Amino acid sequence: GDAEVRFNYKLSDLHAAVGGVQLGRLDAFVARRREIAARYGQALTGRSCGLPEQVPGHIFFRYVVRVEGEVEGHIAAFERRGVAARRPVFCPLHRALGTGGFPGAEAAQGSALSLPIYPALSEEGVETVIRAAREVLS
């Protein structure tokens, strides 16, 4: 009916042109994400955090670690070291819908932390994240 939520996903010509160029660079973007993820994995092995599984084909859109203790405290500790670590999901879907009964999602929301990982992250930025992670996740 008329009360249904609708979306307009049309791209402007400019956005379509930018998207087309970005698609041509997709392989390089994914390779850079995988390179950063490998470095994070090497640096954080043996730390008090759960690391992402090494799944074939993983593109590392996010680099999510499981932390012990309150996530907000970890976020603040990273922030003090100049690193913008965040929750991977702002609000779990079931909360947004006002439903319950998803203890796994609640547990993940309470222990998951996403470290910066994007293709344009500089070498200095990667080292800053690693240094901060080694301190915060010791």
Side-chain angles (χ1 to χ4, degrees), residues 80-133:
R80 286 191 299 273
R81 290 162 176 84
V83 175
R86 299 285 182 252
R87 290 179 184 271
V89 176
F90 174 72
C91 178
L93 183 58
H94 69 280
R95 284 189 199 165
L97 297 174
T99 61
F102 297 91
E106 289 296 331
Q109 181 70 0
S111 67
L113 186 67
S114 183
L115 300 180
I117 185 168
Y118 50 93
L121 186 60
S122 69
E123 287 303 309
E124 181 182 349
V126 172
E127 290 302 321
T128 298
V129 173
I130 288 172
R131 193 168 37 255

Side-chain angles (χ1 to χ4, degrees), residues 39-110:
R39 290 180 56 196
Y40 287 174
Q42 285 178 327
L44 299 177
T45 297
R47 301 281 171 183
S48 64
C49 63
L51 300 177
E53 287 186 48
Q54 297 299 314
V55 179
H58 199 313
I59 64 166
F60 292 99
F61 175 70
R62 299 219 184 279
Y63 193 88
V64 179
V65 297
R66 267 186 338 276
V67 298
E68 297 174 3
E70 181 53 41
V71 171
E72 291 303 321
H74 286 83
I75 290 172
F78 274 100
E79 193 74 32
R80 286 191 299 273
R81 290 162 176 84
V83 175
R86 299 285 182 252
R87 290 179 184 271
V89 176
F90 174 72
C91 178
L93 183 58
H94 69 280
R95 284 189 199 165
L97 297 174
T99 61
F102 297 91
E106 289 296 331
Q109 181 70 0

Side-chain angles (χ1 to χ4, degrees), residues 31-43:
R32 176 66 176 152
R33 287 178 179 278
R34 287 177 176 155
E35 174 192 336
I36 295 169
R39 290 180 56 196
Y40 287 174
Q42 285 178 327

